[in-house]
């Protein structure tokens, strides 16, 4: 029997053009062909690596120092990745040292917007998308009083509440690695919260998700965020009340969502 | 009332029944997060001794969440059949495990006492059972439901076809449906998790599914998994709704965070029944559950996550659902850390659901931040197939590109059916065979009949 006879191709392979779902994979018996099996493993490996890899914070810090806004390096209370994955409560709180760092750096009269970059559930997302997004976003934020840029590790979305509150920020924006999908290991999410304070609930946040070249491109993400930030500051709110009221945000990628990181 | 167990010179005390249940639960991250887990392995083992000695009757007196405070408790207690309970009322939890496993206890015996069981009794006995016990006892129980085909018959394994698409694109959804049908999936339901849950996009998907199902005479049912109130609105607008979906939880407070109550579910059920769309049965509800959801909503009342999960089933049975499944590994590692914890939880949930009389399926799944992989899912699938699971999910290539998690694939379903000699629902199997889509051993035969499906899908 020749190797090609061991595999049965599915005759409906032409349907693949309609979806990215893994359809018409063919089969060996009732099992996957070898190339499909290995393709799945490779995708899962990339996703696992994105979750477990430590963020290359030093390189990122270099890039974040360039705009000259000041930089705070922060950590949550999670001591390890394993603890981070099992204790979201600890990932939402700053360690004592980070609190002191931030208190020393806080502008005395507060700021309009604090921006936090955080590893979350995908270091790869932050390493690939965070600096390009900042570069696109900062020029749009001209005219706003920005706090020092913050780089936080082992962080959950709600860590931004404590950070924003310590900096006296009217609003806080956190750019954070999203839970990786099999075909999207490097997707960045951005969560905006007006009047951040510990204990803020998710319906008070706006989210722009799936920020990556193959998802929501950097430039579109930056303009959506710029719109959200300005509207939030102008109207004094974020979350459910700030939903796509002008149709400016498109439908699928900007939603008020449950916290996913 | 407090409980205690002594091991050597150490006496472990448990303040009340919920503390005892929590301490007796096999280790999982969600109970550690909640601060209710046993403090040591020995304390856990001691708690299991104390739990095994507890009379089943004790659960009738010591409610883990008070009747006055919680609607789920009220639905459970008000629905209890005390005559059915009488048969096992003299047993302890430890005796009850042996009764379930006994040579002389049949599935019909278990079905007879089931309406008399509180979910906390099911949770308790599951905590002292091994995985093998959970499989062996669950296998005895058959729960039959029906709408356009018959779910849960002996020798059958049904599959929900889950053709999700990140933008709900009709052709993208249809392409996944064709792929699934040709692999024999879809007899439990063709169920879409919509990307957008506004009424217009939900209605559009409902019409599309109805066109496919009625256009090809497929003996199955459709569902767009959106909030019950959206489905009720869709029915009012004349949309072709087969099943009413809702995520439910095991406490009133958690259900409130989902925006549901018994009366809203009853309203949804009545609305779907009024359409009279079932042909061989009248089960119109589809529920999803999962350990950890109550804690996630800050609504667990200090009860361990597996006991809360069993309470979902006690709540669900009041609505005579066609399908119930636990989305066991979806919630993430803060509740179920790794493959071992997901496997154990999947077997517990299936067992408790069956014991409480539900048509129990399992979404055998994991996220990428959990320490689990396909090998773990293979083991859970084989274990559940052995346990007689009512249905599993069918997702193209096991990769849900909308929800970003991994479940079981169409291949996995076919493989499990072949390994365990299981068939699709009889009406659905007859349709597959009549159209020449599969041969005798369920192998896809993508020839004559497939052409019609293909052209139908492409015309969308």
């Amino acid at each position: 029997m020749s190797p090609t006879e061991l595999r049965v191709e599915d005759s409906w392979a032409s349907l693949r053009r309609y979806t990215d779902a893994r359809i018409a994979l063919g089969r060996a018996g009732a099992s996957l062909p070898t190339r499909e099996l290995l393709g799945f493993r490779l995708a899962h490996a990339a996703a696992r690596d994105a979750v477990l890899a430590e963020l290359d914070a030093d390189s990122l810090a270099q890039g974040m120092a360039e705009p000259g806004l000041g930089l705070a390096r922060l950590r949550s209370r999670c001591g390890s990745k394993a603890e981070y994955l099992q204790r979201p409560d600890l990932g939402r709180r700053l360690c004592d040292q980070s609190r002191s760092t931030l208190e020393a750096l806080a502008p005395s009269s507060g700021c309009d917007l604090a921006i936090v970059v955080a590893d979350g559930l995908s270091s790869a997302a932050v390493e690939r998308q965070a600096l390009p997004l900042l570069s696109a976003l900062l020029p749009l934020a001209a005219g706003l009083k920005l706090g020092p840029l913050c780089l936080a590790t082992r962080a959950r979305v709600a860590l931004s509440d404590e950070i924003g509150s310590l900096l006296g920020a009217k609003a806080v924006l956190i750019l954070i690695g999203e839970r990786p999908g099999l075909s999207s290991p490097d997707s960045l999410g951005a969560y905006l919260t007006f009047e951040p304070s510990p204990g803020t609930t998710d319906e008070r946040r706006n989210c722009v998700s799936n920020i990556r070249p193959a998802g929501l491109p950097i430039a579109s993400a930056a303009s959506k965020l710029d719109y959200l930030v300005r509207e939030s500051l102008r109207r004094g709110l974020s979350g459910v009340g700030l939903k796509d009221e002008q149709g400016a945000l498109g439908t699928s990628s900007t939603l008020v969502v449950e916290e996913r990181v | 009332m407090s409980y205690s167990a002594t091991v050597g010179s150490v006496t472990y005390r448990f303040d009340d029944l919920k503390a005892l249940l929590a301490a007796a639960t096999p280790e999982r991250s969600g109970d550690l997060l909640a601060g209710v887990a046993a403090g040591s392995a020995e304390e856990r083992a001691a708690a299991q001794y104390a739990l095994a000695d507890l009379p089943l009757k004790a659960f009738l007196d010591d409610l883990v969440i008070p009747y006055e405070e919680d609607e789920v408790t009220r639905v459970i207690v008000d629905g209890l059949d005390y005559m059915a309970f009488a048969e096992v009322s003299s047993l302890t939890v430890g005796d009850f495990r042996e009764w379930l496993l006994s040579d002389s206890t049949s599935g019909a015996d278990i079905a007879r006492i089931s309406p008399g069981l509180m979910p906390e009794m099911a949770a308790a006995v599951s905590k002292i059972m091994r995985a093998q016990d959970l499989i062996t006892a669950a296998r005895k129980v058959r729960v039959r439901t029906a709408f356009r085909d018959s779910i849960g018959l002996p020798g059958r394994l049904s599959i929900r076809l889950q053709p999700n698409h990140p933008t709900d694109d009709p052709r993208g959804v249809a392409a996944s449906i064709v792929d699934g049908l040709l692999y024999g999936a879809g007899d439990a339901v063709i169920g879409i998790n919509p990307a957008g849950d506004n009424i217009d996009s939900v209605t559009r998907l409902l019409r599309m599914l109805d066109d496919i199902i009625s256009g090809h005479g497929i003996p199955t049912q459709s569902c767009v998994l959106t909030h019950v109130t959206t489905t009720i609105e869709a029915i009012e607008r004349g949309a072709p709704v087969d099943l009413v979906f809702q995520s439910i939880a095991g406490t009133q407070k958690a259900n409130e965070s989902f925006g549901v109550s018994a009366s809203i579910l009853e309203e949804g059920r009545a609305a779907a029944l009024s359409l009279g769309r079932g042909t061989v049965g009248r089960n119109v509800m589809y529920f999803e559950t999962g350990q950890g959801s109550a804690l996630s909503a800050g609504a667990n009342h200090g009860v361990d996550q597996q006991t809360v999960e069993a309470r979902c089933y006690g709540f669900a049975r009041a609505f005579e659902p066609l399908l119930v499944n636990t989305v066991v590994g979806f919630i993430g590692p803060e509740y179920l850390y790794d493959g071992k914890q997901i496997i154990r939880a999947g077997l517990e949930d299936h067992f408790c659901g069956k014991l409480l009389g539900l048509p129990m399926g399992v979404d055998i799944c994991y996220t990428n931040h959990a320490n689990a992989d396909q090998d773990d899912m293979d083991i859970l699938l084989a274990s559940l197939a052995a346990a007689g699971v009512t249905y599993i999910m069918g997702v193209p290539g096991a990769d849900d590109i909308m929800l970003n998690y991994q479940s079981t694939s169409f291949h996995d379903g076919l493989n499990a059916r072949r390994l365990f000699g299981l068939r699709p629902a009889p009406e659905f199997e007859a349709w597959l065979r009549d159209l020449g889509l599969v041969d005798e051993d369920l192998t896809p035969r993508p020839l004559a009949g497939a052409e019609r499906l293909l052209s139908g899908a492409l015309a969308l």
Side-chain angles (χ1 to χ4, degrees):
Chain A
M1 193 183 256
S2 81
T4 52
E5 290 171 69
L6 299 174
R7 273 192 305 277
V8 182
E9 304 294 341
D10 293 326
S11 62
W12 54 96
S14 60
L15 292 187
R16 271 195 223 141
R17 75 186 120 135
Y18 298 117
T19 179
D20 290 332
R22 294 173 194 247
I23 63 167
L25 299 179
R27 57 192 179 82
S31 303
L32 285 177
T34 300
R35 69 177 184 285
E36 300 294 344
L37 173 74
L38 297 181
F40 188 104
R41 285 236 181 101
L42 180 61
H44 185 238
R48 289 297 289 161
D49 284 348
V51 171
L52 295 175
E54 294 293 347
L55 181 68
D56 182 359
D58 290 339
S59 310
L60 205 56
Q62 247 174 1
M64 288 175 67
E66 274 175 25
L69 292 165
L71 176 69
R73 302 266 303 254
L74 308 170
R75 275 188 300 119
S76 77
R77 289 178 182 258
C78 295
S80 66
K81 277 279 177 187
E83 187 173 51
Y84 172 72
L85 291 171
Q86 293 178 77
R87 293 294 302 270
D89 52 331
L90 299 182
R92 295 183 184 121
R93 297 190 56 202
L94 287 169
C95 69
D96 292 338
Q97 196 191 339
S98 294
R99 273 190 76 92
S100 313
T101 305
L102 216 48
E103 278 160 358
L105 274 175
S108 55
S109 56
C111 57
D112 293 327
L113 180 69
I115 300 178
V116 184
V117 172
D119 51 359
L121 290 169
S122 172
S123 296
V126 182
E127 285 165 10
R128 290 172 204 169
Q129 328 301 354
L131 287 179
L133 182 58
L134 278 179
S135 301
L137 196 58
L138 289 178
L140 299 176
L144 296 181
K145 186 178 177 194
L146 295 179
L149 293 179
C150 299
L151 175 56
T153 50
R154 306 218 168 102
R156 300 270 171 180
V157 170
L159 190 70
S160 63
D161 296 334
E162 190 174 357
I163 296 172
S165 139
L166 285 171
L167 289 175
K170 288 180 188 159
V172 65
L173 177 68
I174 183 168
L175 312 177
I176 188 166
E178 294 187 322
R179 192 184 85 205
L182 219 50
S183 52
S184 53
D186 57 353
S187 173
L188 193 73
Y191 293 77
L192 176 72
T193 311
F194 185 79
E195 277 183 355
S197 66
T200 297
T201 45
D202 291 336
E203 79 281 359
R204 286 196 44 224
R205 303 187 205 285
N206 294 91
C207 168
V208 174
S209 75
N210 199 24
I211 303 170
R212 60 192 173 102
L216 181 68
I218 297 290
S220 317
S223 74
K224 279 175 196 251
L225 288 172
D226 174 54
Y227 169 85
L228 277 174
V229 168
R230 286 181 189 285
E231 281 299 295
S232 171
L233 290 173
R234 186 176 71 79
R235 296 172 51 195
L237 54 85
S238 60
V240 182
L242 196 61
K243 257 203 240 184
D244 194 13
E245 290 178 359
Q246 303 181 349
L249 300 176
T251 50
S252 64
S253 66
T254 304
L255 300 163
V256 179
V257 294
E258 270 180 77
E259 182 187 6
R260 284 179 293 193
V261 180
Chain B
M1 175 161 174
S2 74
Y3 304 88
S4 67
T6 303
V7 181
S9 61
V10 183
T11 296
Y12 294 96
R13 295 199 182 284
F14 310 98
D15 286 344
D16 52 21
L17 184 54
K18 71 182 174 189
L20 176 63
L21 286 165
T25 307
E27 182 177 328
R28 64 208 58 198
S29 48
D31 287 344
L32 290 163
L33 178 64
V36 301
S40 67
E42 189 178 85
E43 182 181 3
R44 178 172 295 115
Q48 292 179 355
Y49 268 96
L51 190 57
D53 286 343
L54 196 67
L56 289 179
K57 275 183 191 154
F59 291 86
L60 298 175
D61 302 327
D62 196 350
L63 301 176
V64 300
I65 303 176
Y67 184 92
E68 298 74 21
E69 278 176 33
D70 188 273
E71 179 184 62
V72 174
T73 302
R74 289 194 290 276
V75 168
I76 290 166
V77 170
D78 294 349
L80 270 191
D81 179 343
Y82 292 90
M83 293 291 286
F85 178 67
E87 199 173 332
V88 290
S89 63
S90 64
L91 304 182
T92 63
V93 171
D95 296 334
F96 187 44
R97 171 183 170 273
E98 291 169 356
W99 183 86
L100 288 165
L101 296 169
S102 163
D103 290 335
S104 58
T105 301
S106 68
D109 294 329
I110 296 173
R112 197 170 56 246
I113 61 123
S114 172
L117 293 179
M118 290 187 65
E120 290 84 354
M121 299 173 189
V125 72
S126 78
K127 291 176 194 299
I128 64 166
M129 292 168 94
R130 276 173 51 186
Q132 186 186 76
D133 301 340
L134 297 170
I135 293 169
T136 303
R139 186 182 173 83
K140 293 185 179 185
V141 186
R142 303 307 315 191
V143 178
R144 192 195 155 165
T145 60
F147 188 77
R148 272 190 211 103
D149 58 357
S150 308
I151 310 288
L153 297 176
R156 308 281 170 174
L157 169 64
S158 291
I159 299 172
R160 166 185 163 191
L161 203 168
Q162 184 170 310
N164 296 342
H165 187 277
T167 62
D168 295 334
D169 177 68
R171 284 177 181 239
V173 170
S176 290
I177 291 176
V178 170
D179 194 52
L181 290 172
L182 295 176
Y183 272 84
D187 54 331
V189 61
I190 301 177
I192 303 173
N193 300 87
D197 62 356
N198 67 68
I199 183 75
D200 291 329
S201 61
V202 166
T203 304
R204 204 158 41 239
L205 289 170
L206 283 165
R207 292 198 189 288
M208 173 201 165
L209 289 176
D210 185 49
D211 287 346
I212 292 177
I213 289 173
S214 59
H216 295 89
I218 309 174
T220 189
Q221 34 284 329
S222 74
C223 189
V224 175
L225 283 72
T226 186
H227 195 268
V228 56
T229 53
T230 307
T231 304
I232 291 171
E233 194 182 342
I235 291 172
E236 284 164 358
R237 289 188 181 195
V241 170
D242 291 342
L243 304 183
V244 175
F245 169 81
Q246 185 56 48
S247 290
I248 56 168
T251 71
Q252 175 179 337
K253 201 172 158 203
N255 277 327
E256 283 167 358
S257 81
F258 291 167
V260 297
S261 63
S263 64
I264 292 177
L265 293 175
E266 199 41 67
E267 189 185 328
R269 180 165 177 261
L273 282 172
S274 75
L275 300 180
R277 291 171 59 83
T279 52
V280 296
R282 287 166 50 85
N283 301 105
V284 294
M285 301 302 283
Y286 175 10
F287 295 128
E288 281 189 350
T289 69
Q291 290 189 28
S293 62
L295 175 59
S296 168
N300 63 317
H301 296 260
V303 181
D304 71 88
Q305 67 185 31
Q306 192 255 334
T307 300
V308 176
E309 175 70 7
R311 287 167 52 88
C312 291
Y313 310 148
F315 185 61
R317 66 180 168 183
F319 306 95
E320 298 175 17
L322 180 79
L323 304 164
V324 179
N325 69 263
T326 168
V327 195
V328 65
F330 187 75
I331 191 157
E334 59 268 48
Y335 302 95
L336 295 168
Y337 183 60
D338 56 12
K340 180 177 171 65
Q341 293 185 7
I342 293 171
I343 289 168
R344 168 87 202 179
L347 293 174
E348 289 165 349
D349 292 353
H350 175 254
F351 163 80
C352 288
K354 284 283 172 68
L355 184 55
L356 293 167
L358 293 182
M360 200 67 199
V362 179
D363 189 343
I364 298 163
C365 65
Y366 63 105
T367 58
N368 286 319
H369 62 324
N371 187 14
D373 61 21
Q374 294 300 100
D375 291 342
D376 297 308
M377 300 305 109
D378 291 345
I379 290 165
L380 182 53
L381 172 54
S383 302
L384 284 167
V389 67
T390 303
Y391 70 104
I392 60 171
M393 307 304 124
V395 175
D399 172 13
D400 189 311
I401 59 171
M402 203 285 281
L403 294 173
N404 275 335
Y405 78 119
Q406 286 87 253
S407 181
T408 42
S409 68
F410 302 137
H411 293 71
D412 294 333
L414 177 58
N415 223 319
R417 281 173 174 167
R418 281 195 187 170
L419 274 173
F420 290 88
L422 301 168
R423 323 282 306 180
E427 300 88 346
F428 189 86
E429 183 181 2
W431 175 81
L432 287 171
R433 298 293 303 278
D434 287 350
L435 249 66
L437 297 180
V438 300
D439 66 18
E440 176 59 32
D441 67 350
L442 302 176
T443 304
R445 287 183 60 230
L447 297 169
E451 296 303 321
R452 275 180 50 208
L453 274 177
L454 287 172
S455 56
L458 293 172
L460 284 164

